[in-house]
Amino acid sequence: MADFRNVAAISRSERVDTVISSEDDLGIEDFGSSRRDGTRSDLRDMKRMGKQQELKRGFGFLSILGFSCILTSTWEIQLTANTFGLINGGLAGLIWMYIVTWIGFFAIIASMAEMSSMAPTSGGQYHFAPKSCQKFLSYTTGWVCVLGWQTGIISIAFLTASQIQSLLVINNANYGFERWHGTLLTMAISSFAIIFNTYLAKKLPLVEGIILILHICGFFAILDPLWVLAPRHTSKDVFTKFADGGNWGSQVVSCIVGMLSPVFAFLGPDSAAHMSEETKYAARVVPSAMVWTVAINGVLGFIMLVTFCFCSGNVEEILANPDVMPFVQVFFVATESKTGTSLMTTIIIVLTTCGCITNVATASRQMFAFARDGGLPCSRFLAEVSGINHLLSDKEVGVDRAVQVRPGWDIPLNSVLVSFTITTLLSLVNIASTAAFNAVAGLITAALTSSYIVSIACVRLKRFRGEPLPYACWSLGKWGAPINDASIAYLVLIFVISFFPVEKRVDVATMNWNVVIYGLTVGFSGVFFWFKGRFVYHGPVTLVRKDI
């Protein structure tokens, strides 16, 4: 234990050991204080994984719970992005597939939560791979994870922009709906998220706690008017009336395809894992926050979805106008007031904008962590942290860099700005082709689910072989194997249907081009790995110290 004490000086001759402060309520003795705040267990985990503490630990349980809840935004997303499910499955399909998805994601996030306790770093799921193919498999997983979170920013920003455009159509009969309007709005929302993640980055933990309150209060602000004012469907219509709008020839197939709507609403609780290096006592707090996110958001989302289905009116009518999102039509029918519709929709817009803020934070941290391991082009640039001077660089990345703390924002600024640049460039695609843009924006589902499959399967393989797993203070114990199995089975199904189009018969405009872009990304990562990655990327496992 003596080497953990008196770690005060930063030297060129040895790897930096950052001083970590204690938390009395956890029974951890004082080891000094530093602006890198954390606990002794955080220091031990970082040393065990061969990582330096470069980011400031400002998140506690409530703030990281708020962060995860608002990024997932289950009730908000399920309310606003349900067109796919209304067409494929109808009202009953939406509800029953929501329940299936909720159960499936409980298993998925429980598996991911255990892994975040084993390896509480910003990198997340690419840390897990068998030795036989560890380097390439973790490298590819890191790439698809970057792809997923980067396209996640554009997805939530464009969704918010579409909500604003829907309000414009409702309030102004002469408004001409143009694609470039949506692009500019997407850029504006992304810009706001970037400003918040730079100039106000130090306030993010405090703000996330406040947004959690808004997340819950906003739920009741939407729910109450619908319960009081909206016309009602019968229970039979809501729970037993299925639809096959995609002409799949089978209501079962149609419902499975429509399951993508609730899946999109549940994506994101693992975002807390990518903020591990900014969370105090991360090995216990982060997995708890992930599981509680699925529980809280799942309840809120189910209540909101059932309410929406009862109050939706004529489904064909609310889907008739492609320029107005179905939930906005439902608000307008319920309130019979443009003002009331605008106020209710504004609540959703504010909350999804907050979701964009947290998405930027998650995407930039994941990019930073992967670049720190040498997994991306310009890794040194992307791995820089504002507020850190790198004094020693015997390797392009890795733990042999000594650092010197200086005043700054304590964020991976370059990764944040590159994330904004990617979002801006991708939003321009919408001007040229809506089909191409939808393919890009929809990649978050395929990319993240594939990264979950690989990481959970690697842990399950170790369990099958009887190999010891890294210590986790948040463990699934004897339930680990069946929960992992259920997760993998459900994830494979999601991954397959994520490439399905809305309708069985497709043309160039309605084809789901996700598979092409996903394949190109994985192919590029393979080519880049062969020509450069295999020489500079060694995988996070090679840095792990087994003596700690």
Side-chain angles (χ1 to χ4, degrees), residues 182-227:
T183 296
L184 291 180
L185 286 169
T186 300
M187 290 181 181
I189 293 161
S190 302
S191 299
F192 176 76
I194 294 299
I195 292 172
F196 206 102
N197 274 278
T198 50
Y199 292 102
L200 299 175
K202 291 183 178 180
K203 302 295 183 182
L204 191 58
L206 173 63
V207 172
E208 293 300 338
I210 297 173
I211 294 175
L212 177 60
I213 298 173
L214 181 60
H215 174 65
I216 296 173
C217 292
F219 168 79
F220 290 103
I222 300 298
L223 197 71
D224 291 348
L226 292 178
W227 280 2

Side-chain angles (χ1 to χ4, degrees), residues 125-199:
Q125 48 265 48
Y126 75 87
H127 278 257
F128 299 89
K131 289 183 179 180
S132 58
C133 54
Q134 196 277 328
K135 182 186 289 189
F136 177 73
L137 194 57
S138 69
Y139 187 84
T140 305
T141 304
W143 266 89
V144 295
C145 201
V146 169
L147 173 68
W149 284 113
Q150 292 298 322
T151 54
I153 301 175
I154 190 70
S155 296
I156 192 67
F158 185 74
L159 182 65
T160 308
S162 298
Q163 295 164 8
I164 296 173
Q165 285 190 285
S166 294
L167 271 189
L168 292 174
V169 173
I170 288 290
N171 286 279
N172 184 0
N174 296 321
Y175 172 67
F177 195 101
E178 297 288 347
R179 291 202 298 264
W180 64 269
H181 293 173
T183 296
L184 291 180
L185 286 169
T186 300
M187 290 181 181
I189 293 161
S190 302
S191 299
F192 176 76
I194 294 299
I195 292 172
F196 206 102
N197 274 278
T198 50
Y199 292 102

